[in-house]
Amino acid sequence: MNQHSKQGTALITGASAGIGATYAQRLAARGHDLILVARDAARMQQLAERLKARHGVQVEVLPADLTQRGDLLAVEQRLRTDAAITLLVNNAGMAVQGQLIDADIDRYEAMIQLNVISVTRLAAAAAAAFGGRGSGTIVNIASVLALAPELFNGTYSGTKAYVLNLSQSMQQELAPRGVRVQVVLPGATRTEIWDRSGGSVDALPAEMLMEVEDLVDAALSGLDQGEVVTIPSLPDRADWQAMEAARHALGPNLSRNRPAERYLSHAG
Ligand SMILES: NC(=O)c1ccc[n+]([C@@H]2O[C@H](COP(=O)([O-])OP(=O)(O)OC[C@H]3O[C@@H](n4cnc5c(N)ncnc54)[C@H](OP(=O)(O)O)[C@@H]3O)[C@@H](O)[C@H]2O)c1
Protein backbone atom coordinates (compact mmCIF):
# COMPACT_ATOMS: atom_id res chain seq x y z
CA MET A 1 0.00 0.00 0.00
CA ASN A 2 1.25 3.47 -0.82
CA GLN A 3 1.55 5.40 2.42
CA HIS A 4 3.23 8.52 1.06
CA SER A 5 2.23 11.77 2.76
CA LYS A 6 -0.35 14.06 1.15
CA GLN A 7 2.22 16.87 1.28
CA GLY A 8 4.53 14.82 -0.90
CA THR A 9 8.20 14.15 -0.35
CA ALA A 10 10.79 16.89 0.16
CA LEU A 11 14.34 16.15 -0.97
CA ILE A 12 16.74 18.29 1.10
CA THR A 13 20.43 18.57 0.32
CA GLY A 14 22.83 19.44 3.12
CA ALA A 15 20.33 17.88 5.51
CA SER A 16 22.80 16.59 8.10
CA ALA A 17 23.35 19.98 9.78
CA GLY A 18 22.43 23.64 10.02
CA ILE A 19 19.84 25.11 7.70
CA GLY A 20 19.14 21.83 5.89
CA ALA A 21 18.60 19.84 9.11
CA THR A 22 16.26 22.59 10.33
CA TYR A 23 14.27 22.45 7.08
CA ALA A 24 14.01 18.70 7.68
CA GLN A 25 12.51 19.28 11.13
CA ARG A 26 10.09 21.95 9.98
CA LEU A 27 8.96 20.09 6.84
CA ALA A 28 8.45 16.86 8.80
CA ALA A 29 6.29 18.85 11.23
CA ARG A 30 4.25 20.04 8.23
CA GLY A 31 3.70 16.41 7.21
CA HIS A 32 6.21 15.99 4.40
CA ASP A 33 8.01 12.71 3.89
CA LEU A 34 11.72 13.39 3.50
CA ILE A 35 14.78 12.32 1.56
CA LEU A 36 17.88 13.57 3.35
CA VAL A 37 21.04 14.11 1.28
CA ALA A 38 24.55 14.89 2.61
CA ARG A 39 27.78 12.97 3.24
CA ASP A 40 27.40 12.09 6.93
CA ALA A 41 25.04 9.09 6.80
CA ALA A 42 25.16 8.33 10.54
CA ARG A 43 24.18 11.87 11.46
CA MET A 44 21.28 11.88 8.99
CA GLN A 45 20.16 8.46 10.25
CA GLN A 46 19.89 9.83 13.80
CA LEU A 47 17.88 12.80 12.55
CA ALA A 48 15.68 10.47 10.48
CA GLU A 49 14.88 8.27 13.50
CA ARG A 50 13.94 11.34 15.58
CA LEU A 51 11.70 12.80 12.89
CA LYS A 52 9.96 9.50 12.12
CA ALA A 53 9.21 8.98 15.82
CA ARG A 54 8.06 12.56 16.43
CA HIS A 55 6.06 13.26 13.28
CA GLY A 56 5.11 9.85 11.87
CA VAL A 57 6.52 10.65 8.42
CA GLN A 58 8.74 8.54 6.21
CA VAL A 59 12.38 9.63 6.15
CA GLU A 60 14.99 8.14 3.86
CA VAL A 61 18.71 8.80 4.08
CA LEU A 62 20.47 9.14 0.73
CA PRO A 63 24.20 9.66 1.41
CA ALA A 64 25.99 11.57 -1.34
CA ASP A 65 29.04 13.75 -1.82
CA LEU A 66 27.62 16.27 -4.27
CA THR A 67 31.10 17.27 -5.46
CA GLN A 68 31.48 13.71 -6.82
CA ARG A 69 29.89 13.20 -10.21
CA GLY A 70 28.61 9.67 -9.58
CA ASP A 71 26.88 10.65 -6.33
CA LEU A 72 25.44 13.80 -7.91
CA LEU A 73 24.03 11.85 -10.85
CA ALA A 74 22.38 9.38 -8.46
CA VAL A 75 20.54 12.22 -6.66
CA GLU A 76 19.58 13.77 -10.00
CA GLN A 77 18.23 10.43 -11.15
CA ARG A 78 16.12 10.17 -8.01
CA LEU A 79 14.68 13.65 -8.66
CA ARG A 80 13.88 12.76 -12.25
CA THR A 81 12.20 9.42 -11.53
CA ASP A 82 10.50 9.62 -8.11
CA ALA A 83 7.04 11.10 -8.71
CA ALA A 84 6.41 11.38 -4.95
CA ILE A 85 8.95 14.24 -4.72
CA THR A 86 7.13 17.59 -4.73
CA LEU A 87 9.75 19.85 -3.14
CA LEU A 88 13.51 20.28 -3.61
CA VAL A 89 15.43 22.25 -1.00
CA ASN A 90 18.68 22.92 -2.87
CA ASN A 91 20.66 23.87 0.23
CA ALA A 92 24.03 22.06 0.45
CA GLY A 93 26.82 24.57 0.27
CA MET A 94 30.21 25.50 1.64
CA ALA A 95 32.24 28.64 2.18
CA VAL A 96 35.99 29.14 1.95
CA GLN A 97 37.76 31.98 3.76
CA GLY A 98 40.54 33.98 2.18
CA GLN A 99 41.12 36.17 -0.82
CA LEU A 100 41.83 35.20 -4.39
CA ILE A 101 45.47 36.26 -4.23
CA ASP A 102 46.36 33.66 -1.60
CA ALA A 103 43.49 31.25 -2.14
CA ASP A 104 43.60 27.51 -1.73
CA ILE A 105 42.35 27.27 -5.29
CA ASP A 106 41.43 23.58 -5.04
CA ARG A 107 39.05 24.41 -2.19
CA TYR A 108 37.61 27.25 -4.25
CA GLU A 109 37.03 24.75 -7.06
CA ALA A 110 35.26 22.33 -4.70
CA MET A 111 33.10 25.24 -3.52
CA ILE A 112 32.13 26.12 -7.08
CA GLN A 113 31.42 22.45 -7.73
CA LEU A 114 29.07 22.24 -4.73
CA ASN A 115 27.52 25.73 -4.71
CA VAL A 116 27.10 26.11 -8.47
CA ILE A 117 27.42 22.86 -10.43
CA SER A 118 25.48 20.58 -8.09
CA VAL A 119 22.83 23.25 -7.42
CA THR A 120 22.36 23.70 -11.18
CA ARG A 121 22.19 20.01 -12.03
CA LEU A 122 19.72 19.28 -9.21
CA ALA A 123 17.62 22.32 -10.12
CA ALA A 124 17.51 21.17 -13.73
CA ALA A 125 16.48 17.64 -12.74
CA ALA A 126 13.71 18.95 -10.49
CA ALA A 127 12.60 21.48 -13.12
CA ALA A 128 12.24 18.75 -15.73
CA ALA A 129 10.34 16.42 -13.40
CA PHE A 130 8.08 19.05 -11.83
CA GLY A 131 7.54 20.85 -15.14
CA GLY A 132 6.42 17.59 -16.72
CA ARG A 133 3.86 17.09 -13.94
CA GLY A 134 2.79 20.74 -13.85
CA SER A 135 3.45 21.11 -10.11
CA GLY A 136 6.23 21.22 -7.54
CA THR A 137 8.43 23.67 -5.65
CA ILE A 138 12.15 24.39 -5.84
CA VAL A 139 13.80 26.30 -3.00
CA ASN A 140 17.36 27.45 -3.69
CA ILE A 141 19.50 28.72 -0.82
CA ALA A 142 21.66 31.69 -1.82
CA SER A 143 23.00 34.34 0.59
CA VAL A 144 22.78 38.07 1.16
CA LEU A 145 26.40 38.08 -0.04
CA ALA A 146 24.88 37.74 -3.52
CA LEU A 147 24.15 41.46 -3.05
CA ALA A 148 27.37 42.38 -1.23
CA PRO A 149 30.52 41.24 -3.07
CA GLU A 150 32.70 43.55 -0.94
CA LEU A 151 31.90 41.77 2.35
CA PHE A 152 33.54 38.37 1.78
CA ASN A 153 35.59 36.79 -0.97
CA GLY A 154 34.14 37.21 -4.43
CA THR A 155 34.20 33.51 -5.22
CA TYR A 156 31.78 32.55 -2.44
CA SER A 157 29.59 35.61 -3.01
CA GLY A 158 29.80 34.95 -6.75
CA THR A 159 28.45 31.43 -6.29
CA LYS A 160 25.55 32.90 -4.36
CA ALA A 161 24.94 35.67 -6.93
CA TYR A 162 24.77 32.82 -9.44
CA VAL A 163 22.09 31.07 -7.37
CA LEU A 164 20.05 34.29 -7.20
CA ASN A 165 20.41 34.84 -10.95
CA LEU A 166 19.54 31.22 -11.74
CA SER A 167 16.50 31.31 -9.46
CA GLN A 168 15.05 34.50 -10.93
CA SER A 169 15.47 33.06 -14.41
CA MET A 170 14.01 29.70 -13.34
CA GLN A 171 10.98 31.42 -11.88
CA GLN A 172 10.29 33.09 -15.22
CA GLU A 173 10.78 29.83 -17.11
CA LEU A 174 8.88 27.55 -14.75
CA ALA A 175 5.96 29.61 -13.40
CA PRO A 176 3.97 29.09 -16.63
CA ARG A 177 4.50 25.34 -16.15
CA GLY A 178 3.02 25.36 -12.67
CA VAL A 179 6.34 25.10 -10.80
CA ARG A 180 7.16 27.45 -7.93
CA VAL A 181 10.67 28.76 -7.37
CA GLN A 182 11.85 30.53 -4.23
CA VAL A 183 15.37 31.76 -3.51
CA VAL A 184 16.33 32.45 0.10
CA LEU A 185 19.08 34.92 0.98
CA PRO A 186 20.17 34.26 4.56
CA GLY A 187 22.36 36.74 6.36
CA ALA A 188 24.85 35.45 8.91
CA THR A 189 23.21 32.45 10.58
CA ARG A 190 24.55 30.39 13.48
CA THR A 191 25.56 27.07 11.87
CA GLU A 192 28.69 24.97 11.42
CA ILE A 193 29.55 26.66 8.12
CA TRP A 194 31.63 29.22 10.00
CA ASP A 195 33.87 26.64 11.72
CA ARG A 196 34.02 24.49 8.60
CA SER A 197 35.33 27.42 6.56
CA GLY A 198 37.98 28.30 9.14
CA GLY A 199 36.14 31.34 10.44
CA SER A 200 34.39 32.03 13.73
CA VAL A 201 30.77 32.87 14.25
CA ASP A 202 31.68 34.51 17.56
CA ALA A 203 33.67 37.19 15.74
CA LEU A 204 30.38 38.64 14.45
CA PRO A 205 28.41 41.33 16.28
CA ALA A 206 25.46 39.63 17.98
CA GLU A 207 22.95 41.90 16.22
CA MET A 208 24.10 40.52 12.83
CA LEU A 209 23.66 36.84 13.68
CA MET A 210 20.36 34.97 13.27
CA GLU A 211 19.50 31.66 14.94
CA VAL A 212 18.95 28.92 12.41
CA GLU A 213 15.38 28.13 13.52
CA ASP A 214 14.37 31.79 13.05
CA LEU A 215 15.98 31.79 9.61
CA VAL A 216 14.17 28.69 8.38
CA ASP A 217 10.82 29.72 9.88
CA ALA A 218 11.10 33.09 8.11
CA ALA A 219 12.05 31.39 4.84
CA LEU A 220 9.01 29.10 5.08
CA SER A 221 6.81 32.07 5.89
CA GLY A 222 8.13 33.76 2.73
CA LEU A 223 7.32 30.60 0.78
CA ASP A 224 3.80 30.53 2.23
CA GLN A 225 3.37 34.19 1.24
CA GLY A 226 4.30 33.36 -2.36
CA GLU A 227 7.60 35.24 -2.43
CA VAL A 228 10.16 34.46 -5.11
CA VAL A 229 13.01 36.21 -3.30
CA THR A 230 13.06 35.96 0.49
CA ILE A 231 15.56 37.99 2.52
CA PRO A 232 14.74 37.05 6.11
CA SER A 233 16.74 39.88 7.72
CA LEU A 234 15.52 42.74 5.56
CA PRO A 235 13.07 44.88 7.59
CA ASP A 236 11.49 46.69 4.62
CA ARG A 237 10.71 44.68 1.50
CA ALA A 238 10.41 47.97 -0.42
CA ASP A 239 14.22 48.27 -0.30
CA TRP A 240 14.57 45.08 -2.35
CA GLN A 241 11.79 46.16 -4.69
CA ALA A 242 13.55 49.53 -5.25
CA MET A 243 16.75 47.71 -6.21
CA GLU A 244 14.88 45.50 -8.65
CA ALA A 245 13.13 48.54 -10.13
CA ALA A 246 16.50 50.27 -10.65
CA ARG A 247 17.86 47.16 -12.35
CA HIS A 248 14.84 46.90 -14.64
CA ALA A 249 15.16 50.62 -15.48
CA LEU A 250 18.59 49.86 -17.02
CA GLY A 251 16.94 47.33 -19.31
CA PRO A 252 16.10 49.37 -22.43
CA ASN A 253 19.63 50.83 -22.54
CA LEU A 254 21.76 47.75 -21.92
CA SER A 255 22.06 46.74 -25.56
CA ARG A 256 22.07 49.36 -28.34
CA ASN A 257 23.46 49.77 -31.84
CA ARG A 258 26.05 52.41 -30.93
CA PRO A 259 28.29 53.22 -27.93
CA ALA A 260 27.15 55.82 -25.43
CA GLU A 261 28.09 59.42 -26.19
CA ARG A 262 30.81 59.54 -23.49
CA TYR A 263 32.80 56.88 -25.35
CA LEU A 264 32.69 58.79 -28.63
CA SER A 265 34.04 62.15 -27.45
CA HIS A 266 37.75 61.13 -27.70
CA ALA A 267 37.49 59.48 -31.11
CA GLY A 268 40.22 60.71 -33.48
N1 LIG B 1 25.12 29.95 7.92
C1 LIG B 1 25.20 31.12 7.26
O1 LIG B 1 25.60 32.15 7.81
C2 LIG B 1 24.74 31.17 5.82
C3 LIG B 1 24.48 32.43 5.29
C4 LIG B 1 24.07 32.51 3.95
C5 LIG B 1 23.90 31.36 3.20
N2 LIG B 1 24.18 30.14 3.75
C6 LIG B 1 24.00 28.97 2.89
O2 LIG B 1 23.13 28.06 3.52
C7 LIG B 1 23.39 26.73 3.05
C8 LIG B 1 23.48 25.79 4.23
O3 LIG B 1 24.59 26.18 5.01
P1 LIG B 1 24.66 25.99 6.59
O4 LIG B 1 24.95 27.31 7.17
O5 LIG B 1 23.52 25.20 7.10
O6 LIG B 1 26.02 25.16 6.65
P2 LIG B 1 26.46 23.87 7.47
O7 LIG B 1 25.90 23.88 8.84
O8 LIG B 1 27.93 23.78 7.28
O9 LIG B 1 25.74 22.69 6.66
C9 LIG B 1 26.13 22.41 5.35
C10 LIG B 1 25.42 21.15 4.90
O10 LIG B 1 25.86 20.82 3.58
C11 LIG B 1 26.38 19.48 3.58
N3 LIG B 1 27.49 19.36 2.67
C12 LIG B 1 28.69 20.00 2.70
N4 LIG B 1 29.47 19.57 1.72
C13 LIG B 1 28.76 18.64 1.04
C14 LIG B 1 29.03 17.80 -0.07
N5 LIG B 1 30.23 17.84 -0.69
N6 LIG B 1 28.08 16.96 -0.51
C15 LIG B 1 26.88 16.91 0.10
N7 LIG B 1 26.55 17.66 1.18
C16 LIG B 1 27.50 18.50 1.63
C17 LIG B 1 26.82 19.24 5.02
O11 LIG B 1 26.75 17.87 5.36
P3 LIG B 1 27.94 16.78 5.31
O12 LIG B 1 29.15 17.40 5.92
O13 LIG B 1 27.36 15.63 6.09
O14 LIG B 1 28.09 16.44 3.87
C18 LIG B 1 25.73 19.97 5.78
O15 LIG B 1 24.59 19.14 5.90
C19 LIG B 1 24.67 26.83 2.21
O16 LIG B 1 24.35 26.86 0.85
C20 LIG B 1 25.27 28.15 2.65
O17 LIG B 1 26.09 28.72 1.64
C21 LIG B 1 24.57 30.02 5.04
Side-chain angles (χ1 to χ4, degrees):
M1 193 174 66
N2 185 342
Q3 294 184 329
H4 288 304
S5 89
K6 281 200 276 280
Q7 302 287 350
T9 299
L11 188 148
I12 307 168
T13 68
S16 64
I19 293 171
T22 308
Y23 264 104
Q25 290 163 15
R26 297 306 198 246
L27 293 174
R30 288 180 174 214
H32 284 274
D33 291 334
L34 302 175
I35 300 171
L36 308 180
V37 177
R39 292 167 300 183
D40 190 332
R43 205 171 173 189
M44 289 190 289
Q45 202 57 55
Q46 282 180 359
L47 177 61
E49 295 311 324
R50 276 208 312 277
L51 296 180
K52 282 193 272 191
R54 192 172 306 160
H55 301 293
V57 295
Q58 297 182 32
V59 186
E60 179 186 333
V61 169
L62 180 56
D65 181 340
L66 296 173
T67 65
Q68 300 302 311
R69 189 170 174 83
D71 286 8
L72 178 56
L73 294 188
V75 180
E76 265 181 72
Q77 182 66 5
R78 185 64 184 269
L79 280 166
R80 287 184 189 275
T81 55
D82 185 344
I85 300 174
T86 57
L87 171 61
L88 166 65
V89 183
N90 215 352
N91 162 77
M94 62 183 281
V96 179
Q97 300 279 334
Q99 296 184 316
L100 200 59
I101 200 162
D102 53 8
D104 177 344
I105 200 67
D106 291 335
R107 292 224 0 111
Y108 271 43
E109 184 177 332
M111 176 169 66
I112 294 167
Q113 190 72 38
L114 184 63
N115 295 9
V116 174
I117 306 291
S118 84
V119 165
T120 308
R121 294 196 65 116
L122 298 180
F130 297 170
R133 296 200 291 271
S135 68
T137 301
I138 299 170
V139 177
N140 293 325
I141 306 298
S143 164
V144 291
L145 292 178
L147 308 174
E150 304 83 3
L151 291 186
F152 196 68
N153 69 63
T155 311
Y156 177 77
S157 60
T159 67
K160 294 304 178 175
Y162 174 89
V163 174
L164 173 59
N165 191 109
L166 175 73
S167 304
Q168 290 182 291
S169 165
M170 282 172 61
Q171 142 73 17
Q172 211 174 29
E173 179 184 343
L174 296 174
R177 296 169 188 262
V179 180
R180 284 204 55 196
V181 177
Q182 181 201 28
V183 57
V184 180
L185 278 61
T189 307
R190 191 190 301 281
T191 70
E192 293 168 16
I193 201 168
W194 297 86
D195 283 344
R196 289 181 194 236
S197 69
S200 167
V201 80
D202 298 322
L204 288 172
E207 63 274 14
M208 280 183 65
L209 186 64
M210 194 175 286
E211 297 302 327
V212 69
E213 293 81 7
D214 292 340
L215 182 277
V216 172
D217 287 341
L220 286 170
S221 169
L223 184 66
D224 293 342
Q225 292 174 50
E227 288 184 353
V228 176
V229 179
T230 296
I231 308 176
S233 298
L234 191 69
D236 189 350
R237 184 154 181 79
D239 288 344
W240 164 254
Q241 287 161 340
M243 204 191 92
E244 282 292 269
R247 188 171 66 76
H248 286 297
L250 292 174
N253 290 323
L254 289 177
S255 184
R256 293 167 66 94
N257 62 1
R258 63 193 303 268
E261 213 50 48
R262 67 186 175 283
Y263 301 119
L264 300 176
S265 57
H266 300 296

